[in-house]
Amino acid sequence: MPRALSRGEENMLLEESTLFEQSVKGRTGYSLPPSDVPIAEVPKGILRKESAALPELSEADVVRHFVRLSTYNYNKDAGFYPLGSCTMKYNPKVADLTPTFEGFANTHPYQPVETVEGNIKLIKELESYLAEISGLDAVTLQPCAGAHGEMTGILCVRAYHESKDDLRKKVIIPDSAHGTNPASVAICGYSVVEAKSNEEGLLTPEAVAKVMDEDVAAIMITNPNTLGIFETHIKEIADIVHAKGGLVYMDGANLNALMGISRPGDFGVDVMHFNLHKTFATPHGGGGPGSGPIGVKKMLVPFLPNPVCHPHKSGDLPNSPDSRLRGNDRSIGRVKAFYGNFSVLVRGYTYIREMGPDGLKRATELAVLNAAYIKARLSQDYYVPYCTPSLHECVFSDKFQNEHDVKTLDIAKRLMDYGQHPPTIYFPLIVHGAIMIEPTETENKAACDAFCDAMIKIAEECRTNPDLVKSAPKTTFRKRLDEARAVKDPRLKVARKCGERCES
Ligand SMILES: *Cc1c(COP(=O)(O)O)cnc(C)c1O
């Protein structure tokens, strides 16, 4: 296999200096006509003494700087990305197009309600699609991230118990959970009770029964869990929790393994969040905007955040905002300005409409098939900590490679020398030295094979030349960075003053 060119080599670039370093005194990127209004008197005390230390550059300098930097970024449009839907899967380009339609892009949140009837219709339809996909009764699209959905959902659970004068104090969370789960629960004023998963990577009814009592408000469970394994006892676990008056919250971040096949509402879930930026075609990573709608069963509907959108019905006064955006007395209140991140909702809506029910099911099937294929190809060379069949992702560890003093981080770095983006590493936390791979439905067999070939080659290098793996990457623009130092001792200040470099 030809060696992959590093980003720098591809662009014949060896280094990119900062804009401050590229600054040249007196150079500008604009030309304005002379001012034809009198210069206003500004009180002396508030004037700066020296001009701001901004870089001085031409338009081309700035454009080329940012375009060059953008080419250093590996991304899912450039190649295979084993971080999967839970970080960012490939999003069809049609989902980039629809939010730019004038009617969507130019809407202002303060526009009169009767001029945004189409937007409200889209919101209602998307809510009903997500309700159908999850088997739940109602959906709110307000929360703008998975973690935000968790908080919103747990606040609804809290309001539900309080409405019955039942002040419960605890939430059960399995040891394989994502870090946001305990954090959201704590923010809502609950304490966390851990339930241990067994040697098959599953939560058992016994483990839940042991910690379930009448002080537990809910269990928060990810399904399939963070090992990619379907919690086969989910129905029995839900029954145990319900019998003592608790509710079942499902973290739906892994919906890419369920949609079109199995519905959380059918296996005992009362409330869950969706990550539109994982499963439904919005880019993830880089900080948003995202969308984390929640779906609920009937008993939680009165507590959903306000406002609730109602499409136009005959008999409504067209000018009355009340007819579209109604409030609920027992609601937990507003969790987001206006009504969520609207352009992200347009993306999710587009994806669901483009795929249709059969397409969503097919995406799930292909996502699971791709992960199963990779698991089968790599399980000779990499240790599989849990043998239970998994769905859309597979988890290995560095146990075999440890015999040659090689660790997960070394393997991840070496992958870059083969032109492959590293997968998720050191998560989930219950697997020591975890390597988690999620190919998603987008990739074909050739892409999965190229990744597996590189992984198998690296396993061989670990046996024959471990020092090579430990000193990777060799071919990239930047070599191995000291990650601890980058966190503890970051140098964020501009070292030089503007223009100094060019003058000297
Ligand atoms: C991503 C993720 C979350 C948090 O979602 P955000 O949208 O990043 O806030 C929660 N749980 C699991 C299992 C996840 O993968």
Side-chain angles (χ1 to χ4, degrees):
M1 186 183 135
R3 187 174 67 81
L5 288 179
S6 74
R7 300 281 114 186
E9 287 170 325
E10 253 173 30
N11 298 289
M12 294 188 294
L13 251 185
L14 295 170
E15 185 60 272
E16 181 67 24
S17 48
T18 66
L19 285 183
F20 289 92
E21 290 168 328
Q22 291 177 33
S23 174
V24 178
K25 238 189 176 54
R27 190 177 278 181
T28 57
Y30 62 88
S31 52
L32 296 175
S35 171
D36 57 359
V37 291
I39 294 170
E41 279 291 323
V42 181
K44 279 250 151 41
I46 63 168
L47 271 181
R48 48 164 88 243
K49 309 224 160 29
E50 299 166 26
S51 322
L54 296 173
E56 297 175 76
L57 297 151
S58 71
E59 181 182 300
D61 289 338
V62 176
V63 169
R64 288 176 183 155
H65 171 74
F66 285 109
V67 169
R68 280 194 300 261
L69 285 182
S70 74
T71 65
Y72 296 162
N73 278 333
Y74 189 84
N75 60 80
K76 61 196 158 27
D77 290 345
F80 179 61
Y81 211 85
L83 299 174
S85 73
C86 234
T87 299
M88 55 175 179
K89 71 173 180 179
Y90 178 85
N91 302 305
K93 293 300 164 214
V94 66
D96 291 336
L97 174 70
T98 48
T100 68
F101 288 174
E102 212 180 320
F104 295 136
N106 294 344
T107 317
H108 192 279
Y110 282 132
Q111 240 171 274
V113 181
E114 65 272 17
T115 67
V116 291
E117 203 65 67
N119 298 23
I120 293 178
K121 187 164 176 242
L122 181 140
I123 284 172
K124 285 320 283 182
E125 283 185 19
L126 179 57
E127 285 177 0
S128 70
Y129 297 155
L130 294 175
E132 170 66 25
I133 289 167
S134 60
L136 293 166
D137 297 317
V139 169
T140 173
L141 305 174
Q142 274 190 49
C144 51
H148 194 195
E150 291 168 21
M151 188 197 78
T152 307
I154 293 294
L155 284 178
C156 290
V157 168
R158 201 190 163 91
Y160 163 81
H161 287 302
E162 281 176 0
S163 75
K164 303 200 296 178
D165 282 332
D166 189 358
L167 304 177
R168 298 182 177 225
K169 297 208 172 58
K170 303 182 290 190
V171 172
I172 299 172
I173 299 183
D175 56 358
S176 58
H178 190 271
T180 52
N181 291 186
S184 302
V185 159
I187 277 182
C188 296
Y190 287 112
S191 57
V192 175
V193 187
E194 191 179 270
K196 288 237 170 304
S197 34
N198 68 5
E199 64 284 353
E200 294 178 310
L202 288 170
L203 197 57
T204 59
E206 296 75 46
V208 175
K210 219 160 112 190
V211 287
M212 183 65 208
D213 60 30
E214 258 127 46
D215 207 19
V216 169
I219 187 169
M220 196 175 216
I221 188 166
T222 309
N223 201 15
N225 63 27
T226 57
L227 294 162
I229 300 172
F230 188 83
E231 295 284 1
T232 39
H233 307 293
I234 183 72
K235 186 76 180 68
E236 234 178 308
I237 289 169
D239 290 344
I240 290 168
V241 173
H242 288 148
K244 298 222 161 131
L247 297 181
V248 178
Y249 183 105
M250 189 180 109
D251 177 330
N254 288 340
L255 199 64
N256 222 58
L258 294 188
M259 57 179 183
I261 308 260
S262 164
R263 305 197 313 165
D266 297 339
F267 55 67
V269 169
D270 303 303
V271 43
M272 70 172 282
H273 76 257
F274 310 79
N275 301 62
L276 296 192
H277 48 278
K278 290 181 179 177
T279 322
F280 298 105
T282 282
H284 192 195
S291 179
I294 65 164
V296 296
K297 284 254 173 79
K298 274 204 179 62
M299 75 291 215
L300 291 174
V301 172
F303 309 105
L304 284 175
N306 281 334
V308 178
C309 276
H310 295 276
H312 180 74
K313 280 195 242 75
S314 56
D316 276 350
L317 287 175
N319 285 324
S320 146
D322 277 1
S323 65
R324 315 300 201 296
L325 301 170
R326 259 196 293 265
N328 235 327
D329 294 349
R330 294 198 286 166
S331 162
I332 58 164
R334 201 179 254 289
V335 299
K336 173 83 173 76
F338 307 114
Y339 202 82
N341 283 325
F342 183 70
S343 62
V344 177
L345 306 182
V346 179
R347 302 180 65 96
Y349 178 87
T350 305
Y351 182 73
I352 294 171
R353 287 294 298 260
E354 280 286 318
M355 298 291 276
D358 294 339
L360 292 180
K361 182 175 177 205
R362 185 93 183 117
T364 299
E365 289 168 349
L366 289 174
V368 173
L369 177 68
N370 278 346
Y373 179 70
I374 289 180
K375 190 176 186 181
R377 272 208 70 191
L378 295 185
S379 54
Q380 294 293 313
D381 290 282
Y382 292 90
Y383 179 70
V384 178
Y386 295 95
C387 295
T388 319
S390 49
L391 297 177
H392 66 310
E393 58 195 6
C394 47
V395 179
F396 300 94
S397 87
D398 57 0
K399 192 172 169 181
F400 296 159
Q401 287 70 34
N402 284 172
E403 286 165 29
H404 309 283
D405 199 28
V406 179
K407 299 192 172 57
T408 288
L409 183 69
D410 305 316
I411 298 163
K413 296 290 182 193
R414 185 63 178 150
L415 271 170
M416 295 158 77
D417 286 334
Y418 287 99
Q420 294 287 342
H421 192 287
T424 301
I425 56 172
Y426 300 112
F427 183 83
L429 300 177
I430 52 169
V431 175
H432 187 265
I435 304 172
M436 180 163 95
I437 300 159
E438 186 193 341
T440 79
E441 68 279 6
T442 310
E443 304 307 329
N444 57 27
K445 181 167 176 292
C448 294
D449 276 333
F451 178 79
C452 290
D453 290 346
M455 285 291 284
I456 291 166
K457 187 91 206 321
I458 293 167
E460 186 192 316
E461 286 173 351
C462 290
R463 293 185 291 266
T464 56
N465 191 359
D467 285 342
L468 178 67
V469 183
K470 281 157 68 178
S471 57
K474 297 275 191 205
T475 58
T476 52
F477 176 53
R478 291 268 179 234
K479 304 293 176 277
R480 181 95 55 123
L481 301 176
D482 182 339
E483 287 172 8
R485 224 181 116 207
V487 174
K488 295 202 164 139
D489 183 22
R491 276 196 280 142
L492 304 174
K493 281 218 180 101
V494 182
R496 272 178 274 245
K497 266 206 181 149
C498 267
E500 243 170 53
R501 172 190 171 159
C502 303
E503 283 166 358
S504 58

